[in-house]
Amino acid sequence: DTEVTQTPKHLVMGMTNKKSLKCEQHMGHRAMYWYKQKAKKPPELMFVYSYEKLSINESVPSRFSPECPNSSLLNLHLHALQPEDSALYLCASSLSVTQYFGPGTRLTVL
Amino acid sequence: DAKTTQPPSMDCAEGRAANLPCNHSTISGNEYVYWYRQIHSQGPQYIIHGLKNNETNEMASLIITEDRKSSTLILPHATLRDTAVYYCIVRVLYGGYNKLIFGAGTRLAVHP
């Protein structure tokens, strides 16, 4: 089973809202990732968690706040986003080197 | 900092082999080549990866040139469900972790 789940599938939020994206995997993977994908572009890495600790932050603005409460769960907290943050947000996990992606959350910021 | 170049689009007839090329002339000796595909609005799906040798699995074959500067992904019998964007990726060591450097992708259209 190589399933990564993400909720919600779609999210519409205003610039003053606070919302969270959720990612879950039960494959025992110890590394988890957040990516952002704009239309017709490849995914871009945002954050890497390894053993529940933030290992890499690709200079992401502080209005995006990741959290890894346990080894199976990864959250992305959103606050005061801008319309240009509208994108597909992808979560991935890996045991060793191959990353498995979830279906993504389509975020629209009004 | 893309390390791969791919044609933006390709067509293939259903039932024929689809050969997707990728150039990665600046790849280092310990960096792997990965292929993922993304069907519209879904998450990328892992296909195959390799370092030097040719690789085959139930989905595809990966042919890497001897100088490792280019590779070809082969879908032996393309179906309509193989219509997707195919990403050629170099996996690099980054801050002690593995980072996928995506190319711009090839949009493959399989037609009847």
Side-chain angles (χ1 to χ4, degrees), chain B residues 65-93:
Chain B
T65 58
E66 194 169 341
D67 63 7
R68 300 207 333 118
K69 292 186 176 182
S70 65
S71 60
T72 300
L73 177 74
I74 301 172
L75 308 178
H77 305 287
T79 72
L80 299 179
R81 289 178 296 178
D82 292 321
T83 293
V85 177
Y86 287 77
Y87 291 106
C88 176
I89 295 161
V90 171
R91 192 195 86 204
V92 304
L93 271 179

Side-chain angles (χ1 to χ4, degrees), chain A residues 12-28:
Chain A
V12 179
M13 61 186 290
M15 289 189 285
T16 58
N17 293 157
K18 286 185 181 181
K19 296 286 184 183
S20 297
L21 310 184
K22 179 180 171 182
C23 172
E24 204 160 3
Q25 57 87 15
H26 296 287
M27 299 177 281

Side-chain angles (χ1 to χ4, degrees), chain A residues 3-62:
Chain A
E3 188 178 26
V4 176
T5 60
Q6 291 188 244
T7 54
K9 282 187 169 34
H10 302 275
L11 179 63
V12 179
M13 61 186 290
M15 289 189 285
T16 58
N17 293 157
K18 286 185 181 181
K19 296 286 184 183
S20 297
L21 310 184
K22 179 180 171 182
C23 172
E24 204 160 3
Q25 57 87 15
H26 296 287
M27 299 177 281
H29 291 179
R30 308 309 286 189
M32 297 184 76
Y33 312 77
W34 280 114
Y35 287 81
K36 174 181 177 179
Q37 186 176 25
K38 300 285 282 184
K40 299 190 186 301
K41 297 289 188 182
E44 297 177 348
L45 183 66
M46 299 174 71
F47 302 104
V48 180
Y49 270 82
S50 178
Y51 290 90
E52 303 164 40
K53 292 188 177 178
L54 182 62
S55 303
I56 293 178
N57 176 342
E58 289 281 79
S59 303
V60 179
S62 59

Side-chain angles (χ1 to χ4, degrees), chain A residues 86-106:
Chain A
S86 298
L88 181 68
Y89 288 85
L90 295 160
C91 173
S93 70
S94 65
L95 180 62
S96 56
V97 292
T98 298
Q99 294 181 28
Y100 296 94
F101 286 81
T105 293
R106 175 77 58 190

